[in-house]
Amino acid sequence: MTTAYARDRGGTGALPPVSELLGAFRSMAEVTGEHPVLTAARALVHCHRARRAAHLDGRDPHISGAELADRTRRLAELDGERDNLVARIDNWVADNVEHRDGASLHTETLGAVIDRMAGKWVAAQDALGFPADDPGPDTPVGPVPGEGHLHWVRLAELADGYQDLIIDIAEHRRRLPVF
């Protein structure tokens, strides 16, 4: 299978640094003219928050079978939306990031990396008791003892890995899978 890389089509995209990515996670307001990767990253955070809330709602022992089925359908919809956002990031990479033949291939697409980071961001925020956009009246908000530090350490590791990855891509030492 032949892969068409951005340089074959004139693409010259720059990936956003980790500081901008984390800023997109933190800010809920969309910015006009924002980098497409950051827009999709922000939407991934929304999906992970909604998914987490739906999952917590589904664990209520008093929930009816119909309500549980609705929550299960909602989880599937959110996972589909996440898949679309990951694909949007990956398509942008394929169209805009120059790949060098012979560079070491990364094991994940950039969309998958950012999706994991968005999920960890939400888990870290929840573990420290920070409320989501609209947690709803029945969503518990409060710190989870002992988990906050662990989630933030793991998020920091993912952020370091992301920054290293985009540096390696810019310096043509690494390339991303393009599907």
Side-chain angles (χ1 to χ4, degrees):
M1 176 173 130
T2 304
T3 304
Y5 293 105
R7 72 163 176 237
D8 298 332
R9 296 186 305 263
T12 58
L15 296 169
V18 72
S19 59
E20 290 180 15
L21 181 61
L22 293 174
F25 289 168
R26 184 175 52 250
S27 170
M28 291 298 105
E30 288 192 30
V31 178
T32 303
E34 179 177 57
H35 194 293
V37 169
L38 298 178
T39 302
R42 178 176 292 108
L44 282 167
V45 168
H46 287 288
C47 286
H48 279 281
R49 283 186 174 154
R51 191 179 198 295
R52 193 167 179 93
H55 180 68
L56 288 173
D57 287 347
R59 293 174 59 185
D60 180 353
H62 305 295
I63 195 169
S64 71
E67 290 172 318
L68 183 58
D70 286 342
R71 298 300 186 284
T72 302
R73 274 192 294 280
R74 178 67 178 138
L75 288 171
E77 289 170 3
L78 289 166
D79 287 343
E81 189 174 336
R82 284 178 42 227
D83 288 344
N84 289 336
L85 291 164
V86 166
R88 187 184 316 167
I89 292 170
D90 294 339
N91 288 334
W92 184 90
V93 167
D95 291 341
N96 295 282
V97 176
E98 184 178 329
H99 294 8
R100 192 184 113 209
D101 291 333
S104 179
L105 181 65
H106 190 63
T107 57
E108 291 182 289
T109 67
L110 190 68
V113 170
I114 292 173
D115 182 52
R116 281 193 309 122
M117 289 179 70
K120 188 52 68 177
W121 171 267
V122 170
Q125 294 282 80
D126 285 354
L128 291 179
F130 296 129
D133 299 352
D134 182 14
D138 299 323
T139 303
V141 175
V144 178
E147 284 190 23
H149 178 73
L150 178 62
H151 285 296
W152 282 105
V153 166
R154 289 186 177 157
L155 177 62
E157 291 171 347
L158 290 172
D160 286 346
Y162 172 85
Q163 188 64 35
D164 290 345
L165 176 62
I166 64 169
I167 289 169
D168 284 350
I169 291 166
E171 295 178 357
H172 304 291
R173 291 190 302 257
R174 203 155 230 357
R175 61 189 165 97
L176 292 164
V178 179
F179 301 109

